[in-house]
Structures are given as structure tokens and as C-alpha cells.
Amino acid sequence: MAQIDKPNLHFNTVTWTGTGDATTTVSGVGFQPDWTWIKNRSVGDDHALFDSVRGVEKVLFSNATNAESTNTESLTAFNADGFVTGNHRGTGGDAGNGMVSWNWKAGTTGSGTTTGSGTGKAYSYSVNTTAGFSVIKYTGNGSAGQQIPHHLGTIPHTIIVKNLSDSGGQSWNVYHHRLDISSPQNFTIFLNAQSARSDEQVWNDYSPTSTVFQIGSARKTNYNDDNYIAYCFAEKKGYSKFGTYTGTGNADGPFMYCGFKPALILGKVRSDSNDWWIFDNTRSEFNVTNQGLFPNNSNTESTNHAIDIYSNGFKIKDNDGTVNPSGQTLVYWAWAENPIVGSNNIPAVAR
């Protein structure tokens, strides 16, 4: 497997200070993003998620079950080095508000028809096979066993799906290849909620392959003629790692070897009700890394939890039950700032 030497060509975090202006150009991403996740750090506004497949001004909230909505004052354009927002507080920021965005690059686009059980439905996608990331917008057919092509060319280790259409609201469903040791395809975990993993057939109890993932008939992932968005990730050496660790309940917590210096870490207790959490190397430039946000709620940035980011992974530095409950298994997602040693033989530097 080829190693990614420059992770910031595929993922980057950008921060800025809100001005309250009608238009804000956010630059410094380093590429045109295809998935942008924005949070106002200073006030309790929703996490606002956008992607290039659904198009600009189409917003979803990671902390809510709402259907997709259109907001002309939200993210209004993607550009070669970032994006443009209007003056909505949750995306552009009021004057003085601290803002953050996490950005992933896909970029190769196409369309097709789904396979498997039931009537094939149209889908469209954008994919980055180098970084193992794709965005797929598909239409449900209500038939358990519909297969959604993900175009990664390798088996995805995590899949995130949201119903765009149901005005009554449907949870975000997340597949992680370590939600269970033997049968992770039998479980889902909800990005918008504190709740533990759930044994539901949203993935039709079917393991994803190198070409497709399969869905059941539940409205969360496959109601007839509802529209859905899926974000799919495969692990890539030097760039991404999706694993588990067991909490110890003490402040000198476990260390997770990633094979790179992390830029972004997302985590959740697997089998208990606790908040999701997210840390990055941009809001916290030095250890201890303690500027946390919570994807399942709209809370402002908090310093109640702590980790350390190292050149080869991360370590929990907190005994709190959200990040380090004794004896509990947590799932995590990590993306890189730098590999330990790139093919140019330049090592990652500790913080």
C-alpha cells in the first residue's frame, strides 16, 4: 500500500474569526473541499455540514435528525483554497466568534445506478481513491439488499449515512469496522446521539465489499424514493486510522498508535451513552490538547477533556467517562498531519 506523504492535500482544518459581514471567504484549506464540516466554537449553534455532491447552501446538522435544508446565508461556494459563507452565525460567525472547519477532498465525479435487490436507483458520487474517501448521494428503493457502489476500490472501514428527505427526522447512521469484533455489519451508532451502538439491520447485516455497501429496508438508510448522502472512508497508510481502545479510568490513559501524527481525532464510547468528541491540531497547537467539541450537540468549545497528540499517535490524558471510562471500549477515527516518516525520509515532529 502506497503511503500518503502529504496528508494536508486531502484533509485540513481551518480556523477563523467571524466578522458578521454578509460574505466571508475562508481560505487556507489548500484544496477545493468536497466535504466541509463547520462549527461555531463560541456560541451554541449547530454543526453545519456541506458537500459538493449535494451542492452549496444545502445544510445538514450532525447534532440533529433534521432533513436537508437550504440556507442561502450558509456555505455559498466552494473554491480552489476553501469556501465562501454568508452571514449565518453557524457558518460565517458573528463578529468575534471563533470558527472551525474540517475539510476533506474527493474530486473525481460520476453517476450510475444502484444494484442488488429491488429497482435500481440513480446515484451520483465524488471520490478520492488515493485518500480512501467518497461521497455518494443515492435514492432508496425500500428493498433490503439494495447495494450502493462506493467507488473506493477497497473495502471501506467506516460509512456515514443520513436521510435527506424525511421531514420527520432520521438519525445519522455510522458503520465502523470495529463496532463489533466479529460482526460489525450488524451494528450502527448514531452521530447525533449519546446512545450506545444499536443492533439494527440498517446495513442488512452485510459486510461492505471493495465495490459496494448494502442497506436494509429501514427509513434511516433505504426508504423508497427518499434521498440519502453517504460518506465512506477506507484506511490509508500514513493518513487515516479507524480503531478502538479500552478506557482505564485514570488520567494517564491509553496510547493509540496510528502510524502518523494525527491532525483530527473523533471518538465515541461504543456500548454506553456518552457524548461524541472531536479534537484537532489546529485549535490546540500544543499538548495538552484540550479544546474539545461534541458532534452530537451544539455546545460551545470545552476544555473539560484532554488528550496528547504525538508523532505516531495520541494518548488520553483524562479520567472522564466521555473519553476514558474504565473498562469500556471506544471507537475512534483519526486523520493525519504527517506520517511518522515520509518517503522523503523527513520524520514527523512531536508537539
Side-chain angles (χ1 to χ4, degrees), residues 9-11 31-35 103-107 127-128 131 133:
L9 297 180
H10 309 280
F11 168 80
F31 53 82
Q32 180 171 309
D34 293 285
W35 186 26
N103 305 275
W104 290 262
K105 177 178 175 58
V127 64
N128 178 347
F133 171 56

Side-chain angles (χ1 to χ4, degrees), residues 216-229:
S217 58
R219 188 154 197 170
K220 290 183 177 74
T221 55
N222 192 22
Y223 190 77
N224 190 43
D225 288 336
D226 276 5
N227 291 317
Y228 296 83
I229 197 71

Side-chain angles (χ1 to χ4, degrees), residues 16 26 52 128 182 232 308 336:
W16 71 98
V26 179
S52 62
N128 178 347
S182 60
C232 300
D308 278 348

Side-chain angles (χ1 to χ4, degrees), residues 296-315:
N296 60 286
N297 65 51
S298 62
N299 293 4
T300 59
E301 191 172 74
S302 167
T303 57
N304 290 336
H305 314 296
I307 67 171
D308 278 348
I309 294 176
Y310 299 139
S311 62
N312 58 352
F314 66 98
K315 182 177 176 63

Side-chain angles (χ1 to χ4, degrees), residues 123-143:
Y123 73 92
S124 56
Y125 68 91
S126 183
V127 64
N128 178 347
T129 56
T130 300
F133 171 56
S134 62
V135 183
I136 305 101
K137 183 179 179 182
Y138 69 89
T139 302
N141 69 5
S143 180

Side-chain angles (χ1 to χ4, degrees), residues 146-215:
Q146 183 178 202
Q147 295 179 346
I148 313 301
H150 53 68
H151 293 274
L152 294 176
T154 189
I155 296 172
H157 293 85
T158 199
I159 303 164
I160 305 170
V161 172
K162 179 68 179 74
N163 185 313
L164 304 176
S165 303
D166 184 9
S167 60
Q170 293 291 326
S171 288
W172 291 78
N173 285 264
V174 181
Y175 165 85
H176 187 292
H177 72 123
R178 297 298 301 277
L179 272 178
D180 185 72
I181 294 175
S182 60
S183 302
Q185 70 276 7
N186 293 354
F187 292 90
T188 185
I189 195 165
F190 307 122
L191 182 62
N192 53 278
Q194 289 184 329
S195 54
R197 66 181 181 180
S198 178
D199 185 0
E200 299 183 28
Q201 292 186 318
V202 295
W203 316 115
N204 206 35
D205 291 354
Y206 178 87
S207 297
T209 72
S210 61
T211 56
V212 299
F213 67 92
Q214 197 170 117
I215 45 180

